[in-house]
Amino acid sequence: MSFLPTPIQKHPTTAKGRSPESQSWKRYKHPVFIKNYSPVTSIHFTRTEPHRYAVTSAMRVQIFAPRTQKVAKTITRFNDVARSGHIREDGKLLVAGDDSGLIQVFDITSRAVLRSLKEHKQPVHVTKFSPNETTQLLSCSDDTTVKLWDIPSQSAVTTFTEHTDYVRSGVLSNLKPSLILTGSYDSTVRLFDARTGAAEMVMGSAEKGQAPVEDVLLFPSDTLALSSSGPILRVWDLVAGGRCLRALSNHQKTITCMAFNGNASRLLTGGLDQMVKVYDVSSYRVVHTMRYSAPLLCLAMSPDDTHIAAGMSDGTLSVRRRNTSEEEAQAAAARKEVSRTGDFESMLEKIGEPEYLSQRPQEQPKGDPGEAKLAKEHRKKLTEYDKLLKEFKYGEALDAVLVPGTSAVTFFSLLQELVYREGLRIALSGRDDVLLEPVLQMLTKYITDTRWGPLACEVAGVLLDVYSSVVGLSTVIDHELAQLRGKVQAELRLQKDVSQLRGALDMLLCSAVLSTA
């Protein structure tokens, strides 16, 4: 009869990090890192396929192809640092501002400048095409003004001057082209109406101690708005006159950027703490967290939910890609087939067998007709401690699981095997203080753990029985035994307090039941 390896105990695990939601976001693997020599300040995906995206950094705007992550176009006709490259819905035009206050509209195919708009006196940090009116665009500047432009006439249709500090964020309504939501360093979020030329709603105030507004978003339904001020994410109800519904603080530092997924059911926020938080907009609960290597300045997600692009302060552009359902299914099937057969032969049916393989002579089955062929048994390689157990070297097997890097599961699984073999006392006997110290440390660490507490208590009892006659002869062992005793006493006090609390709760519940009877 062959030797059976030591069974490793399995315990129930928490669902943290293994929910379907978290697993879905973890499919964004193998990020591509593209290094720029200046911070990446803006990323924008076009809504038309193939969903190319514009990346603004330094004095240029680069347009990337999402499938290859290669630069398709580069626009460098700027006299100062470029800002907020934005592609129009049809994918034909691009608009960008710069730190001189100039706004330029480019033809993407020829990279020619079609329009130059020069009315802002300070840097323009926001330039966006209207999602409905293709001949209009929005601009927000550090000169505290917000302008709605008519591209054919190269003139401002409306200018809003209500803000009193830099305007660093703005967005146009998807349903009503006349509504504009902006956020300013005066700590306010304002909803402007181009038909009246004034702010119809003001949310937030510097007098309430709120930080400057870094970014704003508008839900597709135009009923809710989002703003980020410092590490606080706020949700505003526009139907109720701009009432604050939620104030969330899940970042440690300033939230610099926000983005929706394709159907606006998830919200992504990035901050200077190098973290991206994913929220479920139905409950505003964080469902996933992604860590980056540097503070984030901009964030965008492709409309088809296949790419997440993030720009960082050190000039790094990170693009994470998720395979589509068909690609995922094919890859999973191929991996399963390879793991089953051990080679790539089984995949040839799916991808087509090469001609030189199809012309191979077919192997003829050997043996008599109807003869059954037994599968070859693959034996697993024994671990070091299993080899020692096989040779009945129980003490050395215990030493093998006390080396650094061995998990507690393996340690206690071996102890349980020694109990079954009646070799626990043999393994613990004959040890000096050097070999006994790691055993006591493991018992002290895990004796209060519900998974291994009973076994640790049994092992501690055997150990004290074996070495009771030599207690007090080694300061190292005496110290470890004192630590073990203190851990047990603290656990007993805790259990006593819990029992008293349980009794008090039982009395309260009983009195509540009697009062309602």
Side-chain angles (χ1 to χ4, degrees):
M1 183 177 178
S2 60
F3 178 81
L4 297 178
T6 302
I8 301 300
Q9 300 178 9
K10 295 183 179 180
H11 300 275
T13 57
T14 60
K16 183 179 180 181
R18 298 187 179 183
S19 64
E21 178 84 21
S22 180
Q23 292 296 327
S24 174
W25 289 101
K26 285 183 179 179
R27 293 195 187 102
Y28 291 90
K29 300 178 181 178
H30 313 299
V32 176
F33 297 102
I34 302 169
K35 189 67 176 177
N36 296 276
Y37 53 84
S38 291
V40 179
T41 57
S42 175
I43 302 173
H44 176 253
F45 281 91
T46 179
R47 299 200 66 84
T48 56
E49 293 185 354
H51 304 301
R52 295 187 296 177
Y53 55 98
V55 177
T56 307
S57 176
M59 298 175 66
R60 67 183 182 185
V61 178
Q62 295 177 305
I63 301 175
F64 286 81
R67 290 188 178 275
T68 61
Q69 312 302 334
K70 301 295 184 182
V71 178
K73 297 285 182 180
T74 302
I75 299 174
T76 59
R77 302 183 67 172
F78 298 96
N79 296 324
D80 211 327
V81 177
R83 303 284 182 183
S84 188
H86 191 271
I87 304 175
R88 199 167 69 174
E89 294 289 319
D90 56 9
K92 297 180 179 180
L93 300 183
L94 179 138
V95 62
D98 63 23
D99 281 359
S100 69
L102 178 65
I103 301 171
Q104 299 181 88
V105 180
F106 300 90
D107 177 73
I108 292 181
T109 303
S110 64
R111 292 176 288 184
V113 179
L114 302 181
R115 293 290 187 272
S116 295
L117 311 175
K118 180 64 176 176
E119 286 191 16
H120 287 293
K121 307 302 181 185
Q122 293 189 32
V124 178
H125 282 263
V126 178
T127 54
K128 293 181 179 180
F129 285 104
S130 172
N132 297 308
E133 299 292 337
T134 58
T135 59
Q136 290 185 350
L137 63 88
L138 169 70
S139 67
C140 304
S141 172
D142 282 358
D143 60 10
T144 73
T145 63
V146 178
K147 294 180 180 289
L148 185 63
W149 299 84
D150 179 64
I151 300 175
S153 64
Q154 303 186 64
S155 61
V157 177
T158 309
T159 301
F160 305 99
T161 59
E162 281 84 346
H163 282 296
T164 59
D165 207 333
Y166 299 159
V167 186
R168 294 289 177 89
S169 57
V171 63
L172 286 154
S173 168
N174 291 315
L175 300 180
K176 299 178 181 178
S178 60
L179 294 182
I180 302 170
L181 185 73
T182 60
S184 170
Y185 274 25
D186 61 8
S187 303
T188 63
V189 177
R190 297 176 185 265
L191 183 66
F192 294 104
D193 193 336
R195 295 169 297 185
T196 61
E200 301 298 326
M201 208 173 295
V202 180
M203 294 156 279
S205 173
E207 298 176 356
K208 299 179 180 179
Q210 296 181 8
V213 179
E214 297 288 345
D215 199 8
V216 293
L217 271 183
L218 198 60
F219 274 81
S221 61
D222 287 351
T223 57
L224 296 175
L226 300 165
S227 69
S228 62
S229 302
I232 309 299
L233 171 67
R234 289 183 171 86
V235 185
W236 306 95
D237 188 353
L238 302 182
V239 178
R243 182 170 59 91
C244 183
L245 296 179
R246 295 286 186 93
L248 310 172
S249 179
N250 293 299
H251 284 268
Q252 301 300 319
K253 295 183 180 180
T254 300
I255 301 172
T256 56
C257 47
M258 300 185 293
F260 283 125
N261 66 338
N263 58 5
S265 63
R266 297 294 181 269
L267 170 69
L268 286 74
T269 61
L272 298 180
D273 56 0
Q274 307 178 20
M275 306 292 286
V276 169
K277 305 284 185 179
V278 182
Y279 296 83
D280 182 351
V281 298
S282 62
S283 61
Y284 295 102
R285 180 176 59 89
V286 176
V287 295
H288 189 65
T289 300
M290 292 176 276
R291 183 182 295 275
Y292 285 82
S293 59
L296 288 101
L297 299 180
C298 53
L299 183 67
M301 191 168 183
S302 61
D304 58 356
D305 294 342
T306 57
H307 292 76
I308 300 176
M312 290 170 261
S313 60
D314 63 351
T316 302
L317 171 67
S318 171
V319 182
R320 302 188 182 196
R321 182 176 183 270
R322 177 180 64 84
N323 293 334
T324 59
S325 300
E326 291 186 7
E327 292 174 339
E328 289 175 354
Q330 293 176 0
R335 287 194 298 269
K336 183 177 180 180
E337 194 68 21
V338 170
S339 64
R340 186 179 67 84
T341 60
D343 55 26
F344 68 93
E345 300 282 340
S346 58
M347 291 190 295
L348 297 178
E349 297 180 1
K350 301 181 179 63
I351 62 177
E353 194 173 50
E355 183 178 356
Y356 72 90
L357 290 178
S358 61
Q359 295 176 355
R360 293 179 303 176
Q362 298 294 325
E363 295 183 1
Q364 298 298 326
K366 299 179 180 180
D368 298 331
E371 183 179 10
K373 182 179 179 181
L374 298 178
K376 185 179 179 180
E377 182 180 358
H378 296 278
R379 295 184 179 180
K380 292 184 178 180
K381 185 178 180 180
L382 294 178
T383 59
E384 185 64 27
Y385 57 85
D386 277 330
K387 293 178 182 178
L388 295 169
L389 284 178
K390 188 176 181 180
E391 298 174 1
F392 302 100
K393 298 178 181 179
Y394 297 145
E396 295 181 21
L398 181 57
D399 293 336
V401 296
L402 289 172
V403 296
T406 305
S407 65
V409 177
T410 304
F411 173 74
F412 284 100
S413 296
L414 179 69
L415 289 179
Q416 188 65 63
E417 183 68 18
L418 290 173
V419 172
Y420 292 154
R421 291 169 174 260
E422 298 182 356
L424 181 61
R425 184 178 292 269
I426 300 174
L428 294 175
S429 301
R431 292 176 174 268
D432 57 11
D433 54 355
V434 177
L435 296 177
L436 195 58
E437 183 183 8
V439 178
L440 286 170
Q441 288 176 346
M442 290 292 288
L443 295 178
T444 303
K445 185 176 181 180
Y446 294 104
I447 197 166
T448 59
D449 194 308
T450 55
R451 296 172 294 178
W452 303 299
L455 179 58
C457 290
E458 181 180 354
V459 175
V462 174
L463 190 144
L464 291 173
D465 187 28
V466 172
Y467 293 96
S468 59
S469 60
V470 295
V471 172
L473 299 181
S474 172
T475 57
V476 175
I477 300 304
D478 291 346
H479 174 73
E480 294 298 334
L481 290 174
Q483 293 286 333
L484 179 62
R485 179 183 178 184
K487 192 75 173 288
V488 173
Q489 289 178 340
E491 180 66 18
L492 291 175
R493 288 194 298 269
L494 176 62
Q495 294 296 333
K496 182 178 178 181
D497 294 340
V498 171
S499 299
Q500 293 176 352
L501 178 61
R502 181 178 179 181
L505 291 175
D506 288 341
M507 291 179 62
L508 291 174
L509 293 175
C510 290
S511 62
V513 172
L514 293 174
S515 62
T516 56

